[in-house]
Amino acid sequence: MSVNTESSLKTTNRKIHNLLGLGLALIGILILLIVPTLIPPYYSYLLATIFTTALLATSLNLVLGYGGLLHLHHGVFYGIGAYTVAIILTKTSWPFALAVILGPILSAALAFVIGWFCVRLRGLYFGMLTLALGQLVWAIVYRWNALTNGDNGIHAIPVPDFLTSISSVYYTTLLVLLVSLLILSKITKSPFGLTLLAARDNPVRSESLGINVKQHRLIAFVIAGFFAGVAGVLFVLLERSVAPSLLFWNKSAEILIMCLMGGLTVFLGPTLGAAILVLLSMIVGLYTEYWLLVLGLLLLILVLFLPQGILGYICEKIKGRRQRGGSLDASN
């Protein structure tokens, strides 16, 4: 087989795979648009929860999977986005649209402040500093009763009339998730995203080539904080209440496990991990109170048997088959 023929076959196969992926994505979106008309409201609520959590996990993976940074307290940006909207809507007369805009912006601003200190460190030291600073923010929210109502949280958050039904919230969370995933996908495939991957794989060589590794990591940290704030806004629309537990470290641990479960090296891995973990928490909660114990066992199984995650494992198998098939064609 000539080189030109082999190259054209690879190009054709790539186009077929892209078209197949696009077709499956459109079918999936169409199904999600129809689903609320076929299921009870509770399941629409459950799906909206999965959408919100999927966005949160995907935002973390920009730093964790693509940046290679052990971020242990991503939930703090989720909580700040939610609390910003809650405080504005309950304690001021500012318009709803402004609250929705300020939530992600303040989350990104906090991410810039925390990231500015953290990107100077690497590995476990980076993770421990994010954990410490995140817990500091949680303590402030927990103790600032005049502004945040302390451990009581904020409840009965008013929202516009068009967002009072679960179906409207469902479609809103779905739309925001799809748009956010599209933007994050473009970021990961952009020159910035490829540079971030290079800095993850070999930071010393990247710096020797003139890449400002710290700057790229800080930008990724801020982008991740922004989209975590977007997820926090969606949480308020869904739950109409917030509590300090949103910012506590165990929430961040759940997000981390979602990324590990789905696969850090696959863009949609955290989305799959979020769906599995949300459904598992609901099912386990029906039968036992020891959800954290189940969560720990899940993490142990993942580390021992599926270190690349579920979707990562599937993609590796598919890639291996393609390579074996390609080598057989070449030999023929």
Side-chain angles (χ1 to χ4, degrees):
M1 183 182 293
S2 66
V3 175
N4 291 333
T5 304
E6 185 178 352
S7 177
S8 63
L9 281 174
K10 288 182 178 179
T11 303
T12 304
N13 288 334
R14 193 180 300 114
K15 289 181 179 179
I16 292 173
H17 290 142
N18 290 338
L19 288 173
L20 182 61
L22 180 61
L24 290 174
L26 291 175
I27 292 172
I29 293 172
L30 182 61
I31 292 172
L32 290 174
L33 290 173
I34 299 173
V35 158
T37 62
L38 305 175
I39 59 177
Y42 172 76
Y43 293 105
S44 295
Y45 163 82
L46 185 62
L47 285 172
T49 302
I50 291 174
F51 298 156
T52 301
T53 313
L55 175 56
L56 179 59
T58 305
S59 66
L60 170 61
N61 201 44
L62 181 66
V63 175
L64 184 65
Y66 290 87
L69 299 174
L70 185 61
H71 188 8
L72 296 179
H73 212 316
H74 191 62
V76 68
F77 309 126
Y78 180 57
I80 289 299
Y83 261 95
T84 299
V85 176
I87 291 170
I88 290 175
L89 293 180
T90 56
K91 297 182 181 294
T92 72
S93 58
W94 294 1
F96 173 78
L98 182 60
V100 169
I101 293 171
L102 286 178
I105 289 176
L106 288 184
S107 295
L110 178 64
F112 176 82
V113 174
I114 293 179
W116 190 84
F117 292 102
C118 294
V119 294
R120 286 157 173 74
L121 303 175
R122 294 179 182 177
L124 183 61
Y125 298 104
F126 175 92
M128 294 305 295
L129 187 56
T130 60
L131 182 61
L133 294 176
Q135 282 298 97
L136 177 61
V137 176
W138 168 81
I140 294 172
V141 172
Y142 187 81
R143 295 292 183 182
W144 198 348
N145 289 280
L147 183 66
T148 65
N149 291 344
D151 59 341
N152 292 320
I154 302 174
H155 305 279
I157 301 171
V159 296
D161 293 338
F162 67 89
L163 288 172
T164 53
S165 67
I166 187 60
S167 60
S168 61
V169 175
Y170 171 91
Y171 286 117
T172 301
T173 53
L174 175 60
L175 176 62
V176 173
L177 172 66
L178 293 176
V179 173
S180 299
L181 289 181
L182 180 62
I183 295 173
L184 286 168
S185 176
K186 294 294 184 182
I187 291 173
T188 57
K189 295 175 183 177
S190 69
F192 168 80
L194 298 177
T195 305
L196 192 64
L197 284 173
R200 179 201 68 184
D201 294 335
N202 198 328
V204 176
R205 186 174 183 181
S206 298
E207 287 177 347
S208 68
L209 293 173
I211 297 172
N212 192 332
V213 173
K214 293 178 182 177
Q215 185 184 69
H216 279 76
R217 287 175 171 174
L218 179 58
I219 293 172
F221 203 82
V222 172
I223 294 172
F226 176 86
F227 282 100
V230 174
V233 173
L234 295 179
F235 177 85
V236 172
L237 299 182
L238 186 61
E239 300 290 347
R240 313 275 180 84
S241 64
V242 294
S245 58
L246 287 175
L247 296 88
F248 200 58
W249 68 267
N250 60 355
K251 183 65 179 179
S252 298
E254 288 184 11
I255 306 165
L256 181 62
I257 293 173
M258 291 172 191
C259 294
L260 293 173
M261 182 177 292
L264 298 176
T265 58
V266 185
F267 180 75
L268 291 178
T271 300
L272 176 63
I276 294 173
L277 208 63
V278 170
L279 291 173
L280 274 178
S281 65
M282 179 199 70
I283 295 170
V284 172
L286 295 175
Y287 299 100
T288 179
E289 297 178 357
Y290 301 105
W291 163 240
L292 290 180
L293 176 61
V294 175
L295 197 60
L297 292 174
L298 270 176
L299 182 58
L300 182 63
I301 293 170
L302 283 171
V303 171
L304 292 177
F305 302 106
L306 284 174
Q308 68 274 61
I310 296 172
L311 201 56
Y313 174 80
I314 294 172
C315 289
E316 279 190 7
K317 289 297 182 182
I318 294 174
K319 186 177 179 181
R321 287 182 180 179
R322 287 178 181 174
Q323 289 176 346
R324 287 194 296 271
S327 61
L328 288 174
D329 291 339
S331 63
N332 293 331

